[in-house]
Amino acid sequence: MKIQDSHVPSEFSSSDKELILTGENFKSQEILGVHQLMVDKVVYYTFRVWAPNALEVFLVGDFNEWEDSLPMSKDEQTGIWEITTNLPKEMDLYKYHVTQSTGRKIMKIDPYAKVFEKRPGNAARVYIEKEKKWKDGLWRGRRKRSNHYKRPLNIYEVHASSFKHSESGKPYGFKELTETLIPYLEKMNYTHVEFMPLMEHPLDQSWGYQLIGYFALCSEYGTPEEFKAFVEACHVKNIGVIVDWVPGHFCVNDDALAYYDGTAQFEYFDENRAQNRRWGSINFDLGKPEVQSFLISSILYWIQEYHIDGVRVDAVSSMIYRNYDDGPFMLNHEGGLTNLEGYYFLKRLNAVIKSEAPDVLMIAEESSSETRITSKHEDSLGFDYKWNMGWMNDVLRFYEMDPLFRRDNFNLVTFSFMYMMEERFILPLSHDEVVHGKKSLMHKMWGDRYKQFAQLRNLYTFMMTHPGKKLLFMGSEWGQFLEWKYDEELEWVDLEDDMNAKMQTFTSCLNEFYKQSAPLWEEEENCQTIEFIDADNRDDSVLSFIRHGKRTKDFLIVILNMTPVERVDFQIGVPYKGTYEEVLNTEMKEFGGTWEYHNPDCETKNNVFKHFEQSINTTVPALGAIILKPVDIQVNRKK
């Protein structure tokens, strides 16, 4: 079939297109990109691209041998170039040949492409979504009705292409991950899976954090249909799906978004603000309406098209502070360090998402304390959750430490309790902590191999019982010793070792315990969720506290021993007279410890312990943790 430029009328008016320029169009992919239309039983395709300062734009592809035979026409009001044409069957690769404002001619990708060819090529494919009959209505209805702040949230963080490989060494795509990862998530009792960025990126070494295609699933992971099937299968199994998203900066590649029409189109005009020296990328101009339309449309597309349950926004600090990068910076017009464009973009982003999809989780990866992040505060950016980077840094520093020095650094495990209610937090032990020479979580632990496993169980118990939602990076659940490698699969061979297999069993049991234990999540919004028994026992380095549920009798007692000394006949205060049963002990044999039997039930004594009138005595394993619950108590005898 002969390729021709057609004069089929556009289905969108100039006023529709102008909404993109005002930043008010949050479904801009319905105008820009490629779209199919039928006229007199003939199929045509309309291509549109925003390039306001380009001198000339041609549509090129395998259908016209990449030659300048299909000139696009420009709408002078909007800066949008357009062409409608027919295409031969099975020829669907395309780019835009742009004559930039400087006269330079360059091939550019379609910023709104939904599918790209596989690397090393980066041409877009003509792709028209097919309507899917989703079977996840029960999950989505339950999600809409539930209050996630008062529900368990335990996330398994995954890098899609290094989870598992085939025998040939090829990374699993979503077709294979549906068959392997979902049953594994079920077995391990996680509530959600979170993927490092799935959008199109040209270089695996970036782990997906330097994007070129904000509407496209990375072609290395499979087709959009396969990812939709994965999400649907997760929902059927009551597992939520969260994706990382990078609206702060983008890939520098010359044929992608960078200086698209020869001017600062997507980036800041000021080169010092445009260049992200820390990551070798380019910063979006987050104050530009067209960029806001592009980015918010991008994430809404993922939410609505793929039914994802949450978005983790990467590198929020880099968007809200002018002095975050390594290069020179200027104060804002108010004389402060806040990047006002980024600050107000994020507020707007969250407002739009909460209007369009109020039950989708918005999560900030943010490392400072100067700006209010979560919707717990009216003057915040409006996120649902913030990663608690302070907790993560403090506890890992503590657990790496020789126990001889822990008594003098006990505040590293208690300081987070001072600010735990300041934001709605997720406690992350993420990919960033097991790469670049930082060592795996297992390798960070002090002591010989047995003690390392014991402390890893202790650490995970602390995380699960500390107020806040949870996140653990893949491989850490069984104590992988080697650092994570983005281009290799996880060390599944570890599970042939009895200690690793038992560590995996422990993590699964701990996750299930968390899901079934309402005191660990249902009152997390209130300070009353936690009551300290003894947070000052530096000499023994033992931390003890209570997690309270809604009902008076519904609580758990947590005791964590941070030293390699077994604490025999150890006394703690309890709130009520009666009997207490041990329900978790990290040193049981099935978990890799040495204990064959649980501690016997504890009967209270009329001994004052701090502010408690009753106390019990029990044994706390070396480098171990135990959890007790009341089985027969007299609630009228409190304190």
Side-chain angles (χ1 to χ4, degrees):
M1 182 184 293
K2 183 180 179 182
I3 296 292
Q4 60 184 15
D5 182 2
S6 171
H7 297 291
V8 176
S10 172
E11 68 270 37
F12 290 102
S13 67
S14 291
S15 59
D16 292 324
K17 299 171 187 174
E18 284 169 6
L19 285 176
I20 297 173
L21 307 188
T22 64
E24 297 297 328
N25 188 322
F26 304 126
K27 294 186 177 180
S28 56
Q29 76 279 1
E30 293 181 357
I31 293 178
L32 296 167
V34 58
H35 303 276
Q36 186 184 82
L37 65 157
M38 184 83 70
V39 179
D40 297 331
K41 297 183 180 180
V42 177
V43 175
Y44 292 92
Y45 295 90
T46 297
F47 297 79
R48 297 190 190 93
V49 62
W50 174 60
N53 296 301
L55 302 179
E56 202 171 30
V57 181
F58 287 88
L59 172 67
V60 298
D62 57 358
F63 41 77
N64 69 347
E65 298 181 345
W66 304 95
E67 294 181 352
D68 290 351
S69 60
L70 293 170
M72 303 177 75
S73 59
K74 181 182 181 182
D75 181 334
E76 293 296 340
Q77 284 183 293
T78 62
I80 293 174
W81 298 78
E82 179 176 337
I83 187 172
T84 299
T85 186
N86 54 6
L87 298 176
K89 289 183 179 180
E90 299 180 0
M91 288 193 174
D92 61 355
L93 294 178
Y94 73 98
K95 287 186 178 183
Y96 297 120
H97 195 194
V98 178
T99 303
Q100 295 179 318
S101 60
T102 59
R104 180 190 182 213
K105 296 180 182 291
I106 186 171
M107 292 285 194
K108 286 284 191 179
I109 67 165
D110 180 358
Y112 281 84
K114 307 290 178 55
V115 174
F116 284 85
E117 66 176 329
K118 288 198 172 183
R119 304 175 196 137
N122 70 345
R125 288 192 180 279
V126 174
Y127 173 78
I128 307 299
E129 293 99 339
K130 298 171 185 172
E131 187 174 352
K132 175 177 171 60
K133 294 182 179 179
W134 287 85
K135 300 175 184 177
D136 63 349
L138 187 62
W139 163 268
R140 283 162 63 84
R142 190 184 305 118
R143 190 185 77 186
K144 187 175 293 186
R145 293 189 299 272
S146 67
N147 181 351
H148 56 83
Y149 297 126
K150 296 181 179 293
R151 297 292 301 158
L153 178 59
N154 186 14
I155 302 165
Y156 187 63
E157 188 189 27
V158 172
H159 179 250
S161 60
S162 60
F163 177 73
K164 207 170 182 67
H165 290 183
S166 66
E167 290 184 4
S168 66
K170 181 182 178 182
Y172 277 10
F174 276 102
K175 184 176 181 181
E176 295 84 1
L177 289 173
T178 301
E179 299 169 356
T180 55
L181 177 55
I182 295 176
Y184 187 70
L185 293 167
E186 277 194 289
K187 170 187 172 181
M188 296 305 297
N189 293 303
Y190 285 99
T191 67
H192 289 69
V193 60
E194 177 180 322
F195 289 101
M196 294 160 69
L198 299 177
M199 296 80 178
E200 190 63 64
H201 54 280
L203 191 66
D204 285 335
Q205 286 93 323
S206 77
W207 312 338
Y209 289 100
Q210 297 210 10
L211 302 178
I212 60 170
Y214 276 75
F215 292 82
L217 177 74
C218 180
S219 58
E220 299 296 316
Y221 299 150
T223 67
E225 290 74 21
E226 287 168 346
F227 182 54
K228 289 177 187 178
F230 174 88
V231 174
E232 181 177 72
C234 279
H235 289 173
V236 169
K237 296 296 184 179
N238 294 317
I239 298 166
V241 180
I242 300 168
V243 298
D244 286 9
W245 180 57
V246 192
H249 60 104
F250 56 91
C251 182
V252 299
N253 284 20
D254 201 26
D255 51 1
L257 301 183
Y259 298 95
Y260 197 90
D261 64 6
T263 67
Q265 182 177 329
F266 288 94
E267 51 277 276
Y268 289 104
F269 177 78
D270 181 345
E271 189 173 347
N272 282 329
R273 301 188 66 194
Q275 296 300 315
N276 191 315
R277 293 166 181 82
R278 178 174 295 195
W279 294 313
S281 55
I282 300 179
N283 296 320
F284 280 108
D285 181 349
L286 298 173
K288 188 176 287 186
E290 300 93 335
V291 172
Q292 294 182 5
S293 179
F294 172 75
L295 289 172
I296 297 176
S297 296
S298 157
I299 204 56
L300 265 180
Y301 174 78
W302 281 81
I303 290 169
Q304 294 169 346
E305 188 69 21
Y306 290 105
H307 285 201
I308 62 172
D309 304 283
V311 180
R312 181 265 202 182
V313 180
D314 182 63
V316 167
S317 294
S318 72
M319 286 185 273
I320 59 177
Y321 299 113
R322 284 190 169 218
N323 62 335
Y324 185 81
D325 200 12
D326 296 330
F329 66 91
M330 294 176 61
L331 300 178
N332 63 38
H333 70 271
E334 296 176 352
L337 292 172
T338 301
N339 178 16
L340 297 173
E341 295 93 335
Y343 179 87
Y344 287 110
F345 164 75
L346 290 169
K347 285 180 74 76
R348 189 181 196 201
L349 165 71
N350 283 307
V352 171
I353 299 302
K354 288 307 169 186
S355 173
E356 295 285 333
D359 50 335
V360 167
L361 305 179
M362 293 298 291
I363 302 167
E365 189 253 341
E366 204 276 325
S367 55
S368 74
S369 58
E370 289 81 11
T371 302
R372 296 184 185 275
I373 301 298
T374 63
S375 56
K376 196 164 188 177
H377 308 282
E378 288 186 6
D379 60 341
S380 74
L381 294 179
F383 285 94
D384 292 304
Y385 297 103
K386 170 185 175 178
W387 274 22
N388 192 336
M389 314 292 275
W391 174 87
M392 177 266 298
N393 283 313
D394 286 348
V395 298
L396 290 182
R397 183 179 159 201
F398 182 84
Y399 278 86
E400 287 181 272
M401 190 178 293
D402 188 310
L404 286 172
F405 304 107
R406 289 180 180 175
R407 69 176 304 280
D408 296 321
N409 293 277
F410 204 57
N411 63 302
L412 290 174
V413 291
T414 60
F415 180 65
S416 56
F417 294 119
M418 301 292 291
Y419 62 86
M420 63 185 178
M421 294 296 160
E422 289 297 309
E423 299 276 12
R424 294 184 174 112
F425 286 116
I426 289 176
L427 309 179
L429 294 173
S430 75
H431 66 275
D432 274 329
E433 306 316 309
V434 295
V435 73
H436 293 329
K438 294 181 182 178
K439 301 186 292 190
S440 68
L441 295 184
M442 174 66 172
H443 196 181
K444 291 178 196 289
M445 299 296 107
W446 168 87
D448 60 27
R449 193 163 186 263
Y450 182 89
K451 293 184 177 71
Q452 288 178 319
F453 275 114
Q455 287 172 105
L456 206 56
R457 296 191 295 268
N458 187 303
L459 169 61
Y460 292 172
T461 304
F462 182 45
M463 177 173 73
M464 285 296 170
T465 56
H466 189 294
K469 308 307 185 185
K470 328 296 177 187
L471 178 142
L472 187 68
F473 185 59
M474 62 181 194
S476 303
E477 70 274 18
W478 71 71
Q480 177 171 308
F481 189 80
L482 296 179
E483 279 192 352
W484 168 58
K485 298 181 179 68
Y486 72 88
D487 55 349
E488 297 181 17
E489 71 171 0
L490 294 178
E491 297 286 325
W492 293 99
V493 67
D494 287 351
L495 293 172
E496 296 175 10
D497 182 277
D498 188 53
M499 290 295 287
N500 288 110
K502 287 181 175 179
M503 182 69 212
Q504 184 190 52
T505 297
F506 170 77
T507 304
S508 175
C509 291
L510 182 65
N511 290 347
E512 177 66 12
F513 182 82
Y514 167 71
K515 284 202 298 186
Q516 299 302 324
S517 299
L520 296 181
W521 36 262
E522 69 177 351
E523 287 294 289
E524 216 159 34
E525 290 281 275
N526 305 316
C527 291
Q528 292 76 15
T529 187
I530 191 165
E531 180 181 7
F532 294 99
I533 300 172
D534 193 352
D536 303 311
N537 189 347
R538 295 172 174 271
D539 290 339
D540 293 333
S541 294
V542 177
L543 175 64
S544 53
F545 55 86
I546 301 170
R547 287 298 306 273
H548 288 285
K550 282 184 180 179
R551 295 174 298 176
T552 303
K553 290 186 177 182
D554 198 8
F555 63 90
L556 296 170
I557 295 172
V558 181
I559 312 173
L560 300 130
N561 181 5
M562 313 295 195
T563 68
V565 180
E566 184 174 89
R567 303 298 176 183
V568 180
D569 201 29
F570 189 78
Q571 183 185 24
I572 62 164
V574 293
Y576 303 107
K577 183 176 181 178
T579 305
Y580 294 81
E581 173 192 13
E582 183 178 275
V583 290
L584 184 77
N585 187 319
T586 61
E587 277 299 299
M588 301 305 292
K589 269 195 168 181
E590 62 262 36
F591 300 150
T594 59
W595 285 42
E596 294 188 8
Y597 305 102
H598 281 278
N599 274 304
D601 289 355
C602 302
E603 299 291 335
T604 56
K605 300 175 184 177
N606 293 321
N607 293 333
V608 174
F609 185 94
K610 295 207 167 185
H611 64 284
F612 299 98
E613 292 184 0
Q614 301 289 323
S615 69
I616 59 174
N617 292 73
T618 188
T619 299
V620 189
L623 296 172
I626 62 173
I627 300 178
L628 312 174
K629 77 172 184 179
V631 289
D632 183 15
I633 58 173
Q634 300 176 27
V635 297
N636 62 328
R637 297 297 300 275
K638 187 172 182 180
K639 302 182 183 178

